[in-house]
Amino acid sequence: MAIPIDRSTNPRLDAEAVASFKLTNVSSDHLYIAEYAHKEWRKERIGPYRPLQLTPLTLGLHYAQQVFEGMKAYKMLDGRISVFRTAKHAQRFNTSLRRMAMPEVPPEMFANAVHTLVDLDRDWVPSGPDSSYYIRPFVIATEERIGLKPSDEFMFLVGGGPFRPVYSKPLRVRVERMYTRASKGGTGYAKCGGNYAAAMLPTILANEAGYDQVLWTDAEKHELIEESGTMNVMFFINGVLTTAPLGDTILDGITRDSVITLAKEWGIPVDERSVSVAELQDRIADGSLTEAFGVGTAASVAPIATVGIDGNDYQLDVHPECAMFRFKRELTGIRDGSIPDRHNWLTIIDGFVQ
Ligand SMILES: *Cc1c(COP(=O)(O)O)cnc(C)c1O
């Protein structure tokens, strides 16, 4: 069903600014909103981007009943616009929503909201290498109440804006031996705001020590590598693409899944297993670990040049022939249409606005 649209009468679009990234971290002209009450989603609409009105007793503001997604639209070389792996993002959104005791969003409703918004704000999708339109679907608990309870009312919103990559230089990461991002039975596999809030202090401390990101380890012994900052982390060990197996402490990254799919397709051996800090240290030292990199929607592939372990820095040689860049080139090529979309990962954005 078509979503009712109230078009902005004051479009802020400045094509030149979009192209030159001056608007990074600025929303495009429109925002999608739906409301949940009496056990159903209703009042779907798209309107001009604007501040929300919420009461100070909005449950989500106190108890962090909140879930989000991060995905992207790309300008293809032929001028069309594609959105990457909507169905998989919709599925993960619902996994996160279930964990936070929130109502699921039907996948068709999620897809329609995302695709209609991108279609309407298509002129905000920048072209050029590594640029994209970042899409932020999220649900917040909106019931007005001071006592703790799971909310009965929610808002589902989708916004977005032009985006350029966050990480440009190879990263310096530090193995975290004190704080944890996720624990068994916890919320680490859900994309919920609380996980990020808890990660801020350890990240600031790592920044102060001269590192870009934290390399998270298991909550029990701080011995097994889990993720890097807000990305999944991968290694090449003796030519084997190695990454932590999915579980309740690992976020099921869509870039992770895409890279593994490509590796298997290309005959690169893949091992989904935990790597310990001791193994990491030994294998960087003996040269069998040749590459370490983060994978996520924001940066696609982010090379790691330095791993800090208990006060010692271990260096990895990042050069253009590294295998990690083959994944990055392939993903870029699929998204810009120069490489065939053999896995049906793209939705071409056309005809969603009625
Ligand atoms: C979003 C996220 C990722 C990356 O997932 P993508 O779907 O590839 O963007 C990895 N780890 C954490 C903790 C995340 O929140």
Side-chain angles (χ1 to χ4, degrees):
M1 228 187 58
I3 300 166
I5 295 172
D6 172 21
R7 282 174 193 264
S8 171
T9 51
N10 180 25
R12 295 166 301 120
L13 184 66
D14 172 343
E16 231 170 82
V18 171
S20 65
F21 296 118
K22 288 205 190 92
L23 291 174
T24 293
N25 279 333
V26 166
S27 166
S28 59
D29 283 323
H30 295 91
L31 181 71
Y32 166 97
I33 301 184
E35 290 167 38
Y36 184 91
H38 309 293
K39 301 199 181 306
E40 64 175 7
W41 287 109
R42 46 194 206 156
K43 294 197 203 160
E44 262 197 307
R45 72 260 187 205
I46 290 176
Y49 178 78
R50 64 203 175 281
L52 298 174
Q53 258 196 333
L54 296 169
T55 104
L57 297 188
T58 300
L59 272 176
L61 295 179
H62 300 259
Y63 305 118
Q65 206 183 7
Q66 185 274 358
V67 151
F68 68 95
E69 265 305 317
M71 51 194 292
K72 284 179 169 179
Y74 300 87
K75 181 74 76 71
M76 301 173 79
L77 296 179
D78 63 6
R80 293 182 301 164
I81 288 166
S82 64
V83 171
F84 191 67
R85 302 199 70 176
T86 304
K88 185 107 176 113
H89 282 279
Q91 183 190 11
R92 184 173 71 188
F93 199 43
N94 283 332
T95 302
S96 302
L97 287 165
R98 278 195 295 277
R99 179 63 183 86
M100 304 310 285
M102 298 165 78
E104 292 182 32
V105 172
E108 323 74 63
M109 180 177 161
F110 179 95
N112 201 27
V114 165
H115 298 153
T116 306
L117 180 78
V118 173
D119 199 3
L120 186 62
D121 281 351
R122 57 169 49 246
D123 292 341
W124 287 79
V125 182
S127 50
D130 288 339
S131 46
S132 56
Y133 175 90
Y134 184 83
I135 306 161
R136 170 50 57 84
F138 61 111
V139 177
I140 50 174
T142 49
E143 190 175 333
E144 178 176 12
R145 194 183 146 114
I146 197 148
L148 173 61
K149 77 181 271 288
S151 187
D152 286 322
E153 292 164 20
F154 298 89
M155 232 185 230
F156 168 41
L157 301 101
V158 186
F163 185 84
R164 72 173 153 188
V166 200
Y167 309 115
S168 40
K169 279 198 319 232
L171 298 174
R172 291 172 53 81
V173 300
R174 176 168 83 168
V175 168
E176 181 58 61
R177 293 287 206 178
M178 184 159 101
Y179 295 100
T180 46
R181 191 195 77 84
S183 58
K184 286 208 170 65
T187 59
Y189 68 93
K191 226 170 164 68
C192 62
N195 289 343
Y196 280 74
M200 285 177 185
L201 175 63
T203 306
I204 290 170
L205 295 174
N207 294 157
E208 285 171 0
Y211 297 90
D212 302 300
Q213 284 294 346
V214 167
L215 202 51
W216 298 106
T217 50
D218 68 285
E220 237 170 293
K221 300 207 168 116
H222 293 290
E223 192 46 48
L224 302 176
I225 305 293
E226 298 200 321
E227 296 202 45
S228 175
T230 58
M231 295 180 287
N232 296 106
V233 67
M234 298 187 162
F235 307 103
F236 268 105
I237 302 175
N238 288 321
V240 178
L241 180 68
T242 309
T243 191
L246 295 180
D248 49 5
T249 62
I250 303 291
L251 200 288
D252 183 1
I254 284 146
T255 318
R256 176 189 181 280
D257 182 80
S258 307
V259 165
I260 289 175
T261 302
L262 292 174
K264 288 182 175 164
E265 188 181 0
W266 294 339
I268 295 173
V270 177
D271 197 357
E272 293 181 59
R273 67 165 176 93
S274 298
V275 173
S276 70
V277 179
E279 178 181 355
L280 183 64
Q281 193 168 344
D282 290 350
R283 290 185 180 268
I284 297 178
D286 73 16
S288 55
L289 193 155
T290 50
E291 298 180 30
F293 52 104
V295 294
T297 295
S300 190
V301 171
I304 294 172
T306 307
V307 182
I309 305 176
D310 303 331
N312 295 313
D313 280 352
Y314 294 80
Q315 305 296 343
L316 285 158
D317 188 21
V318 177
H319 53 85
E321 283 73 45
C322 282
M324 66 176 110
F325 296 122
R326 188 174 169 206
F327 295 122
K328 188 176 171 113
R329 284 193 299 271
E330 187 77 8
L331 290 172
T332 302
I334 291 171
R335 288 159 176 164
D336 72 21
S338 59
I339 294 174
D341 174 26
R342 353 179 248 292
H343 303 282
N344 270 318
W345 283 340
L346 304 184
T347 302
I348 302 301
I349 302 303
D350 191 21
F352 289 94
V353 172
Q354 308 284 308

